[in-house]
Amino acid sequence: MKEIRVRYAPSPTGYVHIGNLRTALYNYLFAKNAGGKFILRIEDTDQTRKVEGAVENIISVLKWAGLDYDEGPSKEGGCGPYYQSQRLEIYNEHVITLLEKKRAYYCFCTPERLTALREEQQKQKLPQTKYDKHCLHLTDEEVKRNIEAGMHYVIRLNVEPGQTIKFRDYVREDVEFQSDMIDDQILMKSDGFPTYHLANVVDDHLMGVSHVIRGEEWLPSTPKHVLLYEAFGWEKPVFAHLPLLLNPDRSKLSKRQGDVAVEDYRKKGYLKEALINFIALLGWTAGDDREFYYLDELIRSFSLERINKSGAVFDIEKLNWLNAEHLRAKPDDEILVMLKDELKVSKYSGNIPADDYLLKIIDAMKPRVSFVKEFITNCVYFYEDPEEYEEASVKKGWKPQSPEILKKFAEKISVFEKPLKEDYESALKGTAAEMSVGNGAVIHPLRLAVSGVSGGPGIFDICYILGKDRTISRIHRATEKLG
Ligand code: GLU
């Protein structure tokens, strides 16, 4: 059996799109499931689109997500270099082979001629504009003369008209394109750099790529690649084109309707486990209702057969839900590290509470948060005294008798040296009984006094976490402020 080798082949043109991370993930999962190799190849032949720092960003996203590549930049396997810009000689040699086989030809047409040709074809309302093979018939002598005269040229693929190009795609099944619809693609540009098509096919072949797994937007390129494989006399890899990613309104996933860069989700505090889990389900299912997965479980379950044909809708609510699930599934000490990192960049950076205090917050708030930062923002009262008291709750829960009730409660807990949760509970019940009121008449004002808000963990948890002194002092502050 042929070795399974797949590649993620991004162009370093900016941020890493969610769709690119999905491509990388599916390739990774497929390779690891089959015991194969996952290659990272940087497709940087378009010098005009190169962005400073983009390669480093791609590598850092893969590292963050835990998608380690087996071969690629700084991890030389036997097929490097893994930057296309460092392989120009290889493409040159290969394009010469195609020229010799008459499967490619030199084209000296000027940009002016090409523009005029396109405008003429548009005027004639042709189904598509195409190069007219004007230079195909130049003799070897003419070509030589033109080159010697210093004329600019490109090298084009010679697409034979009237053919049906067929290939099998794992997702789309049998695919057919008519060669009449395919332009004589430029393979080598006048700057001596190859185009995507040539470099991609040559590298996939030389790197022993067995399966090409990529987004559906590359499907129209595939017949051109098939022609190139045939022209070289090489065996084609297996193709699998992944379904489009869609906005909830089923338009193509775009920046206008939300974030599309992986970096944005990272910055917003999404866990890598959640993002990977979520992205894995954008176009693939194990065939049951299961939605929560870790990366190693995805590796075990993944198969190309279960990739869907239809577009996958990006549902941010589901991502948020998965983030909460993955966060809750983490051990507290891991959350502690993340919480401290969050606190370091918050306004509490100069006054970060001790670990055992933070661990109590984590324990109480875990069922109530979806993001690490919510261990702060959803319960600021654990970090500072309330400055204000939620107006609607004051109206509802703060009664004329409340100060007296709370004072009694404060007296009762002051006798404990270090009250436990149950001590707060018995103090509360005792207060209610002595004052002949229901428990609610103690709980509501107490909650307001210690937290300033009406929601949150159980009141005994809050008091216990804050501790006796702070609970009592907050009761005094509230009775002063609210009267
Ligand atoms: N360089 C292309 C990209 O940016 C690679 C497409 C492919 O996988 O063939 O996605």
Short mmCIF file of all heavy atoms in Angstrom, two decimals, residues 310-334:
data_model
loop_
_atom_site.label_atom_id
_atom_site.label_comp_id
_atom_site.label_asym_id
_atom_site.label_seq_id
_atom_site.Cartn_x
_atom_site.Cartn_y
_atom_site.Cartn_z
N SER A 310 -22.71 19.06 1.39
CA SER A 310 -23.33 20.38 1.44
C SER A 310 -22.56 21.32 2.37
O SER A 310 -21.87 20.87 3.29
CB SER A 310 -24.78 20.26 1.90
OG SER A 310 -24.80 19.53 3.09
N GLY A 311 -22.72 22.62 2.11
CA GLY A 311 -21.99 23.64 2.86
C GLY A 311 -22.23 23.53 4.36
O GLY A 311 -23.28 23.08 4.82
N ALA A 312 -21.23 23.94 5.14
CA ALA A 312 -21.32 23.83 6.59
C ALA A 312 -21.54 25.22 7.18
O ALA A 312 -20.77 26.13 6.92
CB ALA A 312 -20.03 23.24 7.13
N VAL A 313 -22.60 25.34 7.96
CA VAL A 313 -22.94 26.66 8.52
C VAL A 313 -22.14 26.91 9.80
O VAL A 313 -22.08 26.06 10.69
CB VAL A 313 -24.46 26.77 8.80
CG1 VAL A 313 -24.78 28.08 9.51
CG2 VAL A 313 -25.24 26.67 7.50
N PHE A 314 -21.54 28.07 9.85
CA PHE A 314 -20.73 28.48 11.00
C PHE A 314 -21.66 29.04 12.06
O PHE A 314 -22.17 30.15 11.93
CB PHE A 314 -19.73 29.55 10.53
CG PHE A 314 -18.68 29.87 11.55
CD1 PHE A 314 -17.43 29.29 11.49
CD2 PHE A 314 -18.95 30.76 12.58
CE1 PHE A 314 -16.46 29.59 12.44
CE2 PHE A 314 -17.98 31.06 13.53
CZ PHE A 314 -16.74 30.47 13.46
N ASP A 315 -21.89 28.27 13.11
CA ASP A 315 -22.86 28.64 14.13
C ASP A 315 -22.11 29.02 15.41
O ASP A 315 -21.68 28.16 16.18
CB ASP A 315 -23.79 27.43 14.36
CG ASP A 315 -24.75 27.66 15.50
OD1 ASP A 315 -24.77 28.76 16.07
OD2 ASP A 315 -25.48 26.70 15.85
N ILE A 316 -22.01 30.33 15.63
CA ILE A 316 -21.19 30.82 16.74
C ILE A 316 -21.74 30.37 18.10
O ILE A 316 -21.00 30.14 19.05
CB ILE A 316 -21.05 32.37 16.64
CG1 ILE A 316 -20.03 32.92 17.63
CG2 ILE A 316 -22.36 33.09 16.84
CD1 ILE A 316 -18.63 32.83 17.17
N GLU A 317 -23.07 30.18 18.16
CA GLU A 317 -23.67 29.71 19.43
C GLU A 317 -23.12 28.34 19.80
O GLU A 317 -22.88 28.03 20.96
CB GLU A 317 -25.20 29.61 19.29
CG GLU A 317 -25.91 30.94 19.13
CD GLU A 317 -25.55 31.92 20.24
OE1 GLU A 317 -25.40 31.46 21.38
OE2 GLU A 317 -25.38 33.13 19.95
N LYS A 318 -22.95 27.52 18.78
CA LYS A 318 -22.44 26.18 19.04
C LYS A 318 -20.98 26.24 19.49
O LYS A 318 -20.57 25.50 20.38
CB LYS A 318 -22.56 25.35 17.76
CG LYS A 318 -22.12 23.93 17.92
CD LYS A 318 -22.68 23.10 16.80
CE LYS A 318 -22.03 21.74 16.76
NZ LYS A 318 -22.42 21.00 15.59
N LEU A 319 -20.23 27.14 18.88
CA LEU A 319 -18.83 27.31 19.30
C LEU A 319 -18.78 27.77 20.76
O LEU A 319 -17.98 27.26 21.55
CB LEU A 319 -18.13 28.33 18.38
CG LEU A 319 -16.72 28.75 18.78
CD1 LEU A 319 -15.78 27.55 18.88
CD2 LEU A 319 -16.14 29.76 17.80
N ASN A 320 -19.65 28.70 21.12
CA ASN A 320 -19.67 29.19 22.50
C ASN A 320 -20.03 28.06 23.47
O ASN A 320 -19.46 27.93 24.55
CB ASN A 320 -20.67 30.34 22.66
CG ASN A 320 -20.18 31.59 21.94
OD1 ASN A 320 -19.00 31.69 21.61
ND2 ASN A 320 -21.08 32.51 21.66
N TRP A 321 -20.98 27.25 23.06
CA TRP A 321 -21.40 26.12 23.89
C TRP A 321 -20.24 25.14 24.07
O TRP A 321 -19.95 24.69 25.18
CB TRP A 321 -22.61 25.43 23.23
CG TRP A 321 -22.99 24.16 23.92
CD1 TRP A 321 -23.66 24.04 25.09
CD2 TRP A 321 -22.68 22.82 23.48
NE1 TRP A 321 -23.80 22.70 25.42
CE2 TRP A 321 -23.20 21.94 24.44
CE3 TRP A 321 -22.02 22.29 22.37
CZ2 TRP A 321 -23.08 20.55 24.32
CZ3 TRP A 321 -21.90 20.91 22.25
CH2 TRP A 321 -22.43 20.06 23.22
N LEU A 322 -19.55 24.85 22.97
CA LEU A 322 -18.41 23.92 23.06
C LEU A 322 -17.30 24.51 23.92
O LEU A 322 -16.61 23.79 24.64
CB LEU A 322 -17.87 23.60 21.66
CG LEU A 322 -18.63 22.52 20.91
CD1 LEU A 322 -18.17 22.46 19.45
CD2 LEU A 322 -18.46 21.14 21.57
N ASN A 323 -17.13 25.83 23.83
CA ASN A 323 -16.10 26.46 24.67
C ASN A 323 -16.42 26.24 26.15
O ASN A 323 -15.55 25.88 26.95
CB ASN A 323 -15.99 27.95 24.35
CG ASN A 323 -14.62 28.48 24.65
OD1 ASN A 323 -13.64 28.10 24.00
ND2 ASN A 323 -14.52 29.30 25.67
N ALA A 324 -17.69 26.45 26.50
CA ALA A 324 -18.11 26.25 27.89
C ALA A 324 -17.90 24.79 28.30
O ALA A 324 -17.39 24.50 29.39
CB ALA A 324 -19.57 26.64 28.06
N GLU A 325 -18.25 23.87 27.42
CA GLU A 325 -18.11 22.44 27.75
C GLU A 325 -16.65 22.06 27.96
O GLU A 325 -16.31 21.35 28.89
CB GLU A 325 -18.69 21.57 26.61
CG GLU A 325 -20.19 21.67 26.46
CD GLU A 325 -20.93 21.09 27.67
OE1 GLU A 325 -20.70 19.91 27.98
OE2 GLU A 325 -21.71 21.83 28.29
N HIS A 326 -15.79 22.55 27.08
CA HIS A 326 -14.37 22.21 27.20
C HIS A 326 -13.75 22.88 28.43
O HIS A 326 -12.90 22.30 29.09
CB HIS A 326 -13.60 22.60 25.93
CG HIS A 326 -13.71 21.56 24.86
ND1 HIS A 326 -12.90 20.44 24.84
CD2 HIS A 326 -14.54 21.45 23.81
CE1 HIS A 326 -13.23 19.69 23.79
NE2 HIS A 326 -14.22 20.28 23.15
N LEU A 327 -14.23 24.08 28.71
CA LEU A 327 -13.71 24.79 29.89
C LEU A 327 -14.09 24.02 31.16
O LEU A 327 -13.26 23.77 32.03
CB LEU A 327 -14.27 26.22 29.92
CG LEU A 327 -13.77 27.14 31.01
CD1 LEU A 327 -12.24 27.23 31.01
CD2 LEU A 327 -14.36 28.54 30.83
N ARG A 328 -15.32 23.62 31.23
CA ARG A 328 -15.81 22.87 32.41
C ARG A 328 -15.11 21.53 32.56
O ARG A 328 -14.98 21.02 33.66
CB ARG A 328 -17.31 22.64 32.29
CG ARG A 328 -18.11 23.83 32.74
CD ARG A 328 -19.55 23.46 32.97
NE ARG A 328 -20.39 23.69 31.80
CZ ARG A 328 -20.82 24.88 31.43
NH1 ARG A 328 -20.50 25.94 32.14
NH2 ARG A 328 -21.57 25.03 30.36
N ALA A 329 -14.70 20.98 31.44
CA ALA A 329 -14.06 19.66 31.51
C ALA A 329 -12.60 19.75 31.95
O ALA A 329 -11.97 18.74 32.21
CB ALA A 329 -14.14 18.99 30.13
N LYS A 330 -12.10 20.95 32.06
CA LYS A 330 -10.68 21.09 32.42
C LYS A 330 -10.48 20.98 33.93
O LYS A 330 -11.32 21.45 34.70
CB LYS A 330 -10.17 22.47 31.99
CG LYS A 330 -9.77 22.52 30.54
CD LYS A 330 -9.05 23.81 30.24
CE LYS A 330 -8.66 23.87 28.79
NZ LYS A 330 -7.63 22.91 28.42
N PRO A 331 -9.37 20.43 34.35
CA PRO A 331 -9.09 20.40 35.79
C PRO A 331 -8.91 21.83 36.34
O PRO A 331 -8.42 22.71 35.61
CB PRO A 331 -7.77 19.63 35.90
CG PRO A 331 -7.32 19.34 34.53
CD PRO A 331 -8.32 19.81 33.54
N ASP A 332 -9.29 22.02 37.60
CA ASP A 332 -9.25 23.37 38.18
C ASP A 332 -7.86 24.00 38.15
O ASP A 332 -7.72 25.20 37.94
CB ASP A 332 -9.77 23.34 39.62
CG ASP A 332 -11.28 23.09 39.65
OD1 ASP A 332 -11.87 22.96 38.55
OD2 ASP A 332 -11.85 23.01 40.75
N ASP A 333 -6.83 23.17 38.36
CA ASP A 333 -5.50 23.80 38.40
C ASP A 333 -5.08 24.34 37.04
O ASP A 333 -4.33 25.29 36.94
CB ASP A 333 -4.45 22.86 39.01
CG ASP A 333 -4.43 21.52 38.32
OD1 ASP A 333 -5.29 21.28 37.46
OD2 ASP A 333 -3.53 20.72 38.64
N GLU A 334 -5.62 23.73 35.97
CA GLU A 334 -5.32 24.26 34.63
C GLU A 334 -6.06 25.58 34.41
O GLU A 334 -5.53 26.53 33.84
CB GLU A 334 -5.79 23.23 33.58
CG GLU A 334 -4.81 23.06 32.45
CD GLU A 334 -5.28 21.98 31.50
OE1 GLU A 334 -5.17 20.77 31.86
OE2 GLU A 334 -5.80 22.32 30.44
#
